[in-house]
Amino acid sequence: MHRVVVLALEGVYPFELGIAHRVFATTDQLYEVITCTVDGGVVRSDSDVTVGVSHGPEALESADTVIIPPFSMSLISADLSPAVRGALARIRPGARIVSICTGAFVLAAAGLLDGRPATTHWALAETFRTLFPGVRLDPDVLFIDDGDILTSAGAASGIDVCLYLVRKDHGSAVANSVARRCVVPPWRDGGQAQFIEQPVHDASTAGTAATRQWALEHLDRQMPLADLAAHASMSPRTFARRFYAETGTSPGRWLIQQRVHRARQLLEETDLGIDRIAADAGFGTAASLRQHLHAAIGVSPVSYRRTFRTREAGAELV
């Protein structure tokens, strides 16, 4: 039986702490799941509960897979305590190590991610890069499998990576059965990018702000640079330079971002078909919408709508 050992650290998040038990223990005895702490003692969670365990760090020595759930962001550091470092040293060579959310900070602080691809919660990407510049961070994915080390994004992505491991170990039939029993999708399309809200710049900003606001109100139109510049009473060259200075991107790229944002809103909040949404967002065709949405957030319009639908759909997706 494959032994999964969950290392509960101080400030652990209770939801993510239970993911490994819920997923792996639902495989009908293909895995044994136990929880340990760095000293065998009680740890405080980030909520109003404490976690008592029956195992100390010695449990890590017999682990086939080690899961490190996330912990309070206030405890994030570039250094590890001697107790945590000592516990990690007990993990035997060849064991698979998996982090969820802030758990990646522990692996990075231990030097286990140096020069390797990894991910963590998108909101912590800049903090992670500052503390660990030697790690090849990708904040847009739900999880990364780099062989003996897997890192995943925030919260529910822990379910994604655990189901992925079940699928990898025992095939899709077993993983799909576990997903059904846990009432979760067996596989989620796309990555973290689809969950990041993209803010629209304040239209009160001087310069190109009025034209940006006008463009937002007329996204269904084709808007070449010359038309945008004319609206702002500038030459195309001056407009492009001013636009970049104010927004940090080009007019064309900004328009695509806003059209993707509009399409996402329409997919979430309306019953409109894909062709109509493509036209209203300014993409022209459904094929163009699919291409740009997939490039921006890694999913198709149909997949996005199924994930984020806020009310019952009344129209067929075409």
Side-chain angles (χ1 to χ4, degrees):
M1 187 180 295
H2 187 107
R3 171 172 276 203
V4 178
V5 178
V6 182
L7 176 59
L9 300 174
E10 195 71 15
V12 67
Y13 293 166
F15 171 73
E16 290 89 332
L17 175 63
I19 287 175
H21 289 269
R22 169 49 87 182
V23 173
F24 291 114
T26 308
T27 60
D28 295 329
Q29 301 183 346
L30 293 176
Y31 300 87
E32 175 192 20
V33 186
I34 63 174
T35 303
C36 73
T37 62
V38 297
D39 58 5
V42 170
V43 297
R44 294 172 298 173
S45 73
D46 78 320
S47 61
D48 61 343
V49 300
T50 56
V51 179
V53 300
S54 300
H55 303 278
E58 69 281 352
L60 296 166
E61 298 172 3
S62 59
D64 298 300
T65 295
V66 175
I67 308 284
I68 303 181
F71 51 89
S72 174
M73 291 185 290
S74 65
L75 300 177
I76 286 175
S77 172
D79 300 313
L80 297 177
S81 70
V84 173
R85 192 173 291 277
L88 294 178
R90 290 174 175 261
I91 300 174
R92 63 180 179 82
R96 189 166 57 189
I97 305 176
V98 183
S99 70
I100 304 173
C101 193
T102 56
F105 284 79
V106 173
L107 300 186
L112 297 176
L113 298 180
D114 290 349
R116 302 181 71 157
T119 193
T120 189
H121 195 292
W122 62 263
L124 299 172
E126 291 309 312
T127 300
F128 191 96
R129 286 193 179 103
T130 299
L131 294 177
F132 308 110
V135 180
R136 291 154 46 201
L137 184 70
D138 183 353
D140 292 332
V141 297
L142 292 175
F143 61 85
I144 288 178
D145 179 357
D146 193 38
D148 58 330
I149 295 182
L150 296 90
T151 52
S152 62
S157 66
I159 300 174
D160 294 306
V161 72
C162 287
L163 281 173
Y164 167 78
L165 289 176
V166 173
R167 183 179 297 105
K168 186 176 182 178
D169 292 345
H170 299 287
S172 295
V174 175
N176 292 345
S177 175
V178 171
R180 285 194 298 271
R181 292 169 67 180
C182 292
V183 199
V184 295
W187 183 271
R188 282 197 293 169
D189 294 325
Q192 295 191 74
Q194 63 186 302
F195 300 98
I196 303 173
E197 183 176 357
Q198 302 293 340
V200 177
H201 291 276
D202 187 354
S204 64
T205 306
T208 65
T211 298
R212 280 184 271 130
Q213 184 60 39
W214 174 80
L216 289 174
E217 295 168 358
H218 300 88
L219 284 176
D220 58 327
R221 303 183 184 180
Q222 294 303 306
M223 285 179 277
L225 178 60
D227 289 357
L228 294 170
H231 184 275
S233 300
M234 300 178 190
S235 70
R237 184 174 180 179
T238 298
F239 178 83
R241 184 173 63 250
R242 183 76 62 83
F243 194 100
Y244 187 88
E246 293 174 7
T247 67
T249 190
S250 68
R253 187 181 296 261
W254 180 86
L255 273 174
I256 290 174
Q257 291 171 347
Q258 303 313 315
R259 285 174 168 148
V260 167
H261 181 72
R262 175 67 57 81
R264 290 169 67 172
Q265 287 180 315
L266 294 174
L267 286 167
E268 293 178 27
E269 301 170 7
T270 76
D271 298 326
L272 297 175
I274 301 302
D275 288 325
R276 175 66 183 277
I277 290 174
D280 287 357
F283 286 118
T285 67
S288 180
L289 169 60
R290 292 187 184 99
Q291 176 185 350
H292 283 98
L293 191 68
H294 192 276
I297 59 176
V299 298
S300 70
V302 172
S303 295
Y304 186 85
R305 175 170 268 175
R306 285 173 178 164
T307 301
F308 289 96
R309 196 73 171 108
T310 56
R311 59 190 177 87
E312 288 297 322
E316 287 291 322
L317 291 175
V318 294

